[in-house]
Amino acid sequence: MGIKIAIDGPSGAGKSTISKTLAGRLGYIYVDTGALYRTVALGCMRAGADLESAEAVARCLPSLDISLTHIDGVQRVLLGGEDVSEHIRTPEISLWASKLSALPAVRAFLLDTQRAIAETRDVVMDGRDIGTVVLPDAAVKIFLTAAPGDRARRRYEEMLSKGAECDYETVLREVMERDERDRTRSASPTVKAADADMIDTTGNTFEQSVEQIYAHVKKRLL
């Protein structure tokens, strides 16, 4: 039975980058659950499913063969045996992943996959409902957040660094719209688990956030 660390929180809070770094320092496996939802979106898109139709997406799910592997400690996501880790990082896939993640059928489809990964290995898993639904028995639960403006700024700077054309106000609006969608969806809304610790990284550098969370986890695991 592995040690489980669950890190939840809204979009843009830095969950993935912080969790990945934290896992490396602890010697744990990092599980990016967002990559699984992105892969569902890519798989349904490739299959020609109508992504606007919950019924069409649900019909497509049984045909999707999605799995995770780790190469030199780095997570890679496979679709039908193909490494699609780079293909799922487009803005279009990101948008559809957010929308499809609100569907109960999609969340149920991926639930067993996520739990199975954590059964035999020490993991740091991040997402929106890890502490509340996926790993309710996690040894450490953190709800990581930051002010919407701070999260939008990080996303905006990341997009610029990748050469994408964008403006801050649009990114901020998208962050706030996604917050509302994640918070109000019927299937596993983004909420803090009752036994999770809230950590706000507003104003922090990346290094400060990592140190803060690493110290918190080490204390919790004593």
Side-chain angles (χ1 to χ4, degrees):
M1 195 77 168
I3 297 174
K4 305 166 186 175
I5 298 175
I7 299 183
D8 291 312
S11 173
K15 297 186 301 297
S16 296
T17 49
I18 290 173
S19 296
K20 184 177 181 179
T21 303
L22 176 66
R25 290 187 62 173
L26 293 169
Y28 290 12
I29 290 293
Y30 164 59
V31 183
D32 173 12
T33 61
L36 295 172
Y37 288 96
R38 288 171 177 269
T39 306
V40 167
L42 178 64
C44 289
M45 189 177 294
R46 285 183 173 181
D50 178 3
L51 300 189
E52 295 283 3
S53 167
E55 292 77 13
V57 170
R59 287 195 299 271
C60 184
L61 295 176
S63 69
L64 301 182
D65 175 19
I66 298 174
S67 61
L68 293 179
T69 188
H70 288 81
I71 301 174
D72 296 328
V74 178
Q75 175 182 290
R76 309 299 291 181
V77 61
L78 308 179
L79 176 62
E82 175 194 351
D83 186 343
V84 295
S85 303
E86 310 307 325
H87 299 290
I88 60 174
R89 298 297 170 182
T90 67
E92 181 182 23
I93 292 295
S94 179
L95 176 63
W96 280 114
S98 174
K99 292 183 177 181
L100 297 190
S101 70
L103 301 180
V106 173
R107 304 200 75 83
F109 173 70
L110 291 176
L111 183 59
D112 288 342
T113 298
Q114 295 171 88
R115 285 179 173 169
I117 293 168
E119 278 307 305
T120 58
R121 290 173 285 186
D122 297 335
V123 301
V124 177
M125 187 178 294
D126 77 279
R128 302 286 194 279
D129 63 346
I130 308 305
T132 54
V133 176
V134 181
L135 302 178
D137 59 341
V140 181
K141 297 180 184 180
I142 294 171
F143 191 85
L144 185 64
T145 190
D150 219 44
R151 292 185 281 121
R153 175 185 54 77
R154 295 172 190 171
R155 175 64 175 157
Y156 172 67
E157 292 174 353
E158 177 187 15
M159 293 174 71
L160 287 181
S161 71
K162 294 180 178 179
E165 293 186 7
C166 59
D167 66 271
Y168 172 77
E169 292 303 325
T170 298
V171 174
L172 176 60
R173 184 179 68 252
E174 290 174 347
V175 164
M176 296 181 73
E177 287 175 350
R178 182 161 184 176
D179 282 354
E180 181 66 14
R181 188 162 61 242
D182 288 345
R183 186 169 52 244
T184 59
R185 69 188 180 208
S186 59
S188 301
T190 302
V191 295
K192 174 183 170 294
D195 54 348
D197 298 303
M198 176 88 76
I199 295 181
D200 191 322
T201 64
T202 301
N204 280 9
T205 64
F206 173 73
E207 291 75 16
Q208 288 171 333
S209 296
V210 170
E211 289 301 326
Q212 180 182 2
I213 294 167
Y214 178 75
H216 178 81
V217 168
K218 293 296 285 185
K219 182 179 179 181
R220 280 288 192 181
L221 291 177
L222 287 178

